[in-house]
Amino acid sequence: MGKRNLEKAMSLFPQADFEVNWRPFELNPSAPKTGENKLEMYTRKFGEERIRMMMPRMTETFAKVGLNYSIGGLTGNTFDSHRLIFWAGTLGHAKQDALVEELFSNYFCEEKYIGDRQILLAAAIKVGLDQAEAERILDDSTAFKKEVENEKRTFGRGVSGVPFFIINREEGLSGAQPPETFVEIFRDALKS
């Protein structure tokens, strides 16, 4: 959702040359690799009443950007997805962005667990990444591990939630901001 709002704002500045880099951040680095029921985990974390209030708002918010939000499926450790996203970034911003879009859709709309090797591999193949290389990376737990850890340290300082946007290496915005917020920041940046 935050990604869609960012893209909408960027589309209003055809003269600007935007470069979007996806950086790793784990809300729960100790989450189980096997995954756990998303609704149960969120209920435990936020409480039943808050979940009951959040669900209609989340569904409506996602619908506004053309997405069908679902809280079903599993959640858990996402480190392997970050390694795959980092690799995609070495192949270009478009490849990385396509993979992130696919993984977001898998997780938020299709109830797929993005900690599952087969789901990650299918997403990589779907966006045109090399299957053999994706398999090699997923099978080698050290592939891009240091790079992802370094980026988490570099870009994760002061971040407590996602999405979090860093614009021009200065402006930090937490949460799924409306397009108007990005538009204002982009206008200021283009004046400089």
Side-chain angles (χ1 to χ4, degrees), residues 31-38 72-81 103 106-108 110-121:
K33 184 111 172 104
T34 54
E36 61 180 312
N37 181 285
K38 201 185 300 183
L74 301 177
T75 189
N77 192 290
T78 58
F79 195 80
D80 285 344
S81 71
L103 293 175
N106 286 181
Y107 183 77
F108 291 112
E110 299 169 22
E111 300 184 357
K112 294 179 181 176
Y113 174 44
I114 61 169
D116 180 277
R117 181 190 184 279
Q118 291 307 116
I119 299 298
L120 292 171
L121 184 58

Side-chain angles (χ1 to χ4, degrees), residues 41-52:
M41 189 280 293
Y42 286 140
T43 301
R44 213 174 38 253
K45 183 175 181 176
F46 299 115
E48 206 169 299
E49 181 60 29
R50 187 163 174 207
I51 291 297
R52 197 172 18 260

Side-chain angles (χ1 to χ4, degrees), residues 162-180:
V162 293
F164 191 87
F165 302 91
I166 301 170
I167 301 170
N168 278 348
R169 296 188 179 262
E170 297 169 7
E171 190 77 35
L173 297 171
S174 184
Q177 300 293 320
E180 298 77 28

Side-chain angles (χ1 to χ4, degrees), residues 93-105:
H93 298 295
K95 288 289 186 190
Q96 186 184 51
D97 195 64
L99 181 60
V100 167
E101 178 73 24
E102 180 63 20
L103 293 175
F104 281 174
S105 179

Side-chain angles (χ1 to χ4, degrees), residues 117-136:
R117 181 190 184 279
Q118 291 307 116
I119 299 298
L120 292 171
L121 184 58
I125 294 166
K126 185 174 180 180
V127 301
L129 298 173
D130 181 80
Q131 179 176 345
E133 187 62 10
E135 287 176 340
R136 185 195 70 74

